[in-house]
Tab-separated table of all heavy atoms in Angstrom:
chain	number	residue	atom	x	y	z
A	1	GLN	N	32.053	136.564	135.266
A	1	GLN	CA	33.134	135.730	135.785
A	1	GLN	C	34.473	136.415	135.639
A	1	GLN	O	35.202	136.554	136.633
A	1	GLN	CB	33.154	134.375	135.110
A	1	GLN	CG	33.383	134.403	133.591
A	1	GLN	CD	33.601	133.091	133.012
A	1	GLN	OE1	32.702	132.243	133.139
A	1	GLN	NE2	34.714	132.875	132.360
A	2	ARG	N	34.899	136.799	134.449
A	2	ARG	CA	36.233	137.355	134.281
A	2	ARG	C	36.273	138.256	133.050
A	2	ARG	O	35.572	137.986	132.060
A	2	ARG	CB	37.288	136.275	134.144
A	2	ARG	CG	37.441	135.380	135.355
A	2	ARG	CD	38.477	134.297	135.163
A	2	ARG	NE	38.454	133.369	136.277
A	2	ARG	CZ	39.057	133.527	137.456
A	2	ARG	NH1	39.737	134.629	137.664
A	2	ARG	NH2	38.957	132.661	138.398
A	3	PRO	N	37.137	139.283	133.035
A	3	PRO	CA	37.404	140.044	131.837
A	3	PRO	C	38.393	139.264	130.955
A	3	PRO	O	39.029	138.366	131.424
A	3	PRO	CB	37.973	141.343	132.349
A	3	PRO	CG	38.630	140.951	133.607
A	3	PRO	CD	37.863	139.821	134.194
A	4	PRO	N	38.602	139.687	129.716
A	4	PRO	CA	37.835	140.740	128.989
A	4	PRO	C	36.499	140.262	128.588
A	4	PRO	O	36.191	139.080	128.629
A	4	PRO	CB	38.756	141.069	127.791
A	4	PRO	CG	39.432	139.784	127.514
A	4	PRO	CD	39.669	139.102	128.840
A	5	GLY	N	35.660	141.196	128.077
A	5	GLY	CA	34.307	140.872	127.738
A	5	GLY	C	34.035	140.867	126.230
A	5	GLY	O	32.958	141.228	125.807
A	6	ASP	N	35.013	140.447	125.440
A	6	ASP	CA	34.863	140.490	123.990
A	6	ASP	C	35.026	139.099	123.396
A	6	ASP	O	35.689	138.941	122.388
A	6	ASP	CB	35.749	141.492	123.359
A	6	ASP	CG	37.204	141.344	123.769
A	6	ASP	OD1	37.491	140.514	124.634
A	6	ASP	OD2	38.029	142.090	123.218
A	7	GLY	N	34.472	138.065	124.034
A	7	GLY	CA	34.410	136.755	123.438
A	7	GLY	C	35.369	135.758	124.088
A	7	GLY	O	36.362	136.083	124.733
A	8	LEU	N	35.006	134.461	123.896
A	8	LEU	CA	35.712	133.363	124.561
A	8	LEU	C	37.167	133.325	124.190
A	8	LEU	O	38.038	133.086	124.996
A	8	LEU	CB	35.018	132.037	124.266
A	8	LEU	CG	35.660	130.796	124.848
A	8	LEU	CD1	35.539	130.755	126.337
A	8	LEU	CD2	35.044	129.507	124.224
A	9	LEU	N	37.474	133.485	122.874
A	9	LEU	CA	38.891	133.322	122.444
A	9	LEU	C	39.737	134.393	123.131
A	9	LEU	O	40.851	134.092	123.523
A	9	LEU	CB	39.013	133.445	120.926
A	9	LEU	CG	38.463	132.247	120.117
A	9	LEU	CD1	38.809	132.430	118.637
A	9	LEU	CD2	39.055	130.954	120.618
A	10	LYS	N	39.261	135.628	123.242
A	10	LYS	CA	40.055	136.642	123.874
A	10	LYS	C	40.264	136.309	125.392
A	10	LYS	O	41.299	136.572	125.933
A	10	LYS	CB	39.360	137.997	123.744
A	10	LYS	CG	39.345	138.551	122.325
A	10	LYS	CD	40.745	138.892	121.856
A	10	LYS	CE	40.737	139.463	120.402
A	10	LYS	NZ	40.101	140.741	120.333
A	11	ALA	N	39.204	135.763	125.981
A	11	ALA	CA	39.351	135.333	127.385
A	11	ALA	C	40.376	134.215	127.532
A	11	ALA	O	41.142	134.182	128.473
A	11	ALA	CB	38.004	134.891	127.914
A	12	MET	N	40.336	133.303	126.544
A	12	MET	CA	41.370	132.187	126.582
A	12	MET	C	42.754	132.686	126.391
A	12	MET	O	43.711	132.219	126.983
A	12	MET	CB	40.998	131.132	125.549
A	12	MET	CG	39.662	130.413	125.890
A	12	MET	SD	39.150	129.212	124.641
A	12	MET	CE	40.432	127.953	124.825
A	13	GLU	N	42.901	133.730	125.494
A	13	GLU	CA	44.229	134.315	125.279
A	13	GLU	C	44.735	134.961	126.569
A	13	GLU	O	45.945	134.899	126.864
A	13	GLU	CB	44.155	135.346	124.171
A	13	GLU	CG	43.987	134.769	122.798
A	13	GLU	CD	43.749	135.811	121.724
A	13	GLU	OE1	43.786	137.010	122.067
A	13	GLU	OE2	43.433	135.472	120.591
A	14	ALA	N	43.825	135.511	127.356
A	14	ALA	CA	44.197	136.181	128.603
A	14	ALA	C	44.251	135.202	129.786
A	14	ALA	O	44.676	135.550	130.876
A	14	ALA	CB	43.195	137.306	128.878
A	15	GLY	N	43.785	133.927	129.546
A	15	GLY	CA	43.785	132.955	130.592
A	15	GLY	C	42.696	133.164	131.631
A	15	GLY	O	42.854	132.774	132.762
A	16	THR	N	41.612	133.861	131.222
A	16	THR	CA	40.562	134.225	132.187
A	16	THR	C	39.262	133.492	131.988
A	16	THR	O	38.276	133.784	132.640
A	16	THR	CB	40.312	135.762	132.176
A	16	THR	OG1	39.879	136.090	130.861
A	16	THR	CG2	41.543	136.518	132.576
A	17	GLU	N	39.217	132.532	131.083
A	17	GLU	CA	38.042	131.701	130.901
A	17	GLU	C	37.899	130.734	132.136
A	17	GLU	O	38.878	130.468	132.815
A	17	GLU	CB	38.058	130.927	129.587
A	17	GLU	CG	38.805	129.582	129.662
A	17	GLU	CD	40.325	129.720	129.637
A	17	GLU	OE1	40.869	130.806	129.723
A	17	GLU	OE2	40.977	128.624	129.538
A	18	ARG	N	36.666	130.273	132.326
A	18	ARG	CA	36.481	129.191	133.308
A	18	ARG	C	36.362	127.886	132.589
A	18	ARG	O	35.996	127.862	131.386
A	18	ARG	CB	35.209	129.458	134.180
A	18	ARG	CG	35.356	130.607	135.134
A	18	ARG	CD	34.146	130.663	136.000
A	18	ARG	NE	34.085	129.582	136.957
A	18	ARG	CZ	34.528	129.653	138.211
A	18	ARG	NH1	35.068	130.783	138.667
A	18	ARG	NH2	34.395	128.641	139.002
A	19	ARG	N	36.549	126.748	133.285
A	19	ARG	CA	36.445	125.431	132.703
A	19	ARG	C	35.715	124.528	133.628
A	19	ARG	O	35.778	124.691	134.865
A	19	ARG	CB	37.842	124.875	132.363
A	19	ARG	CG	38.542	125.598	131.260
A	19	ARG	CD	39.938	125.067	130.909
A	19	ARG	NE	40.486	125.742	129.763
A	19	ARG	CZ	40.341	125.266	128.513
A	19	ARG	NH1	39.651	124.182	128.278
A	19	ARG	NH2	40.873	125.980	127.497
A	20	ILE	N	35.022	123.576	133.063
A	20	ILE	CA	34.298	122.599	133.844
A	20	ILE	C	34.511	121.233	133.233
A	20	ILE	O	34.428	121.068	132.008
A	20	ILE	CB	32.787	122.941	133.919
A	20	ILE	CG1	32.049	121.987	134.839
A	20	ILE	CG2	32.151	123.026	132.580
A	20	ILE	CD1	30.599	122.415	135.173
A	21	GLY	N	34.827	120.255	134.066
A	21	GLY	CA	35.154	118.900	133.555
A	21	GLY	C	33.928	118.137	133.103
A	21	GLY	O	32.775	118.499	133.426
A	22	ALA	N	34.139	117.081	132.303
A	22	ALA	CA	33.084	116.253	131.818
A	22	ALA	C	32.311	115.659	132.953
A	22	ALA	O	32.875	115.121	133.908
A	22	ALA	CB	33.664	115.135	130.961
A	23	GLY	N	30.996	115.826	132.905
A	23	GLY	CA	30.101	115.286	133.931
A	23	GLY	C	30.036	116.085	135.189
A	23	GLY	O	29.244	115.722	136.088
A	24	GLU	N	30.797	117.153	135.298
A	24	GLU	CA	30.786	117.971	136.536
A	24	GLU	C	29.671	119.002	136.517
A	24	GLU	O	29.138	119.416	135.469
A	24	GLU	CB	32.128	118.691	136.694
A	24	GLU	CG	33.283	117.720	136.949
A	24	GLU	CD	34.593	118.457	137.178
A	24	GLU	OE1	34.591	119.697	136.975
A	24	GLU	OE2	35.549	117.811	137.554
A	25	SER	N	29.269	119.423	137.713
A	25	SER	CA	28.240	120.434	137.919
A	25	SER	C	28.751	121.580	138.813
A	25	SER	O	29.669	121.363	139.615
A	25	SER	CB	26.969	119.855	138.498
A	25	SER	OG	26.361	118.918	137.647
A	26	LEU	N	28.197	122.733	138.651
A	26	LEU	CA	28.483	123.897	139.493
A	26	LEU	C	27.190	124.548	139.940
A	26	LEU	O	26.326	124.835	139.066
A	26	LEU	CB	29.349	124.898	138.707
A	26	LEU	CG	29.680	126.202	139.385
A	26	LEU	CD1	30.511	125.980	140.678
A	26	LEU	CD2	30.398	127.178	138.476
A	27	ASP	N	26.977	124.738	141.238
A	27	ASP	CA	25.796	125.378	141.765
A	27	ASP	C	26.098	126.823	142.185
A	27	ASP	O	27.120	127.065	142.834
A	27	ASP	CB	25.306	124.583	142.951
A	27	ASP	CG	24.788	123.233	142.607
A	27	ASP	OD1	23.852	123.136	141.789
A	27	ASP	OD2	25.354	122.236	143.128
A	28	VAL	N	25.212	127.718	141.825
A	28	VAL	CA	25.326	129.145	142.229
A	28	VAL	C	23.973	129.631	142.682
A	28	VAL	O	22.934	129.031	142.373
A	28	VAL	CB	25.875	130.041	141.087
A	28	VAL	CG1	27.229	129.594	140.644
A	28	VAL	CG2	24.925	130.040	139.916
A	29	GLU	N	24.014	130.723	143.436
A	29	GLU	CA	22.784	131.301	143.953
A	29	GLU	C	22.832	132.835	143.851
A	29	GLU	O	23.777	133.445	144.243
A	29	GLU	CB	22.573	130.903	145.382
A	29	GLU	CG	21.290	131.401	146.041
A	29	GLU	CD	21.042	130.805	147.440
A	29	GLU	OE1	20.899	129.582	147.533
A	29	GLU	OE2	21.131	131.612	148.399
């Protein structure tokens, strides 16, 4: 999904994590 690739906290510091709301779904293929 997004860099960097060294853990969720580093991704959150960089603002590159993804988020999904309560009860929401995401479909991929």
Side-chain angles (χ1 to χ4, degrees):
Q1 60 171 58
R2 297 179 188 277
D6 52 354
L8 179 67
L9 287 187
K10 293 293 182 66
M12 293 176 69
E13 290 172 6
T16 59
E17 84 283 8
R18 290 186 70 97
R19 292 179 175 269
I20 185 170
E24 293 183 351
S25 296
L26 174 63
D27 294 300
V28 299
E29 182 174 295

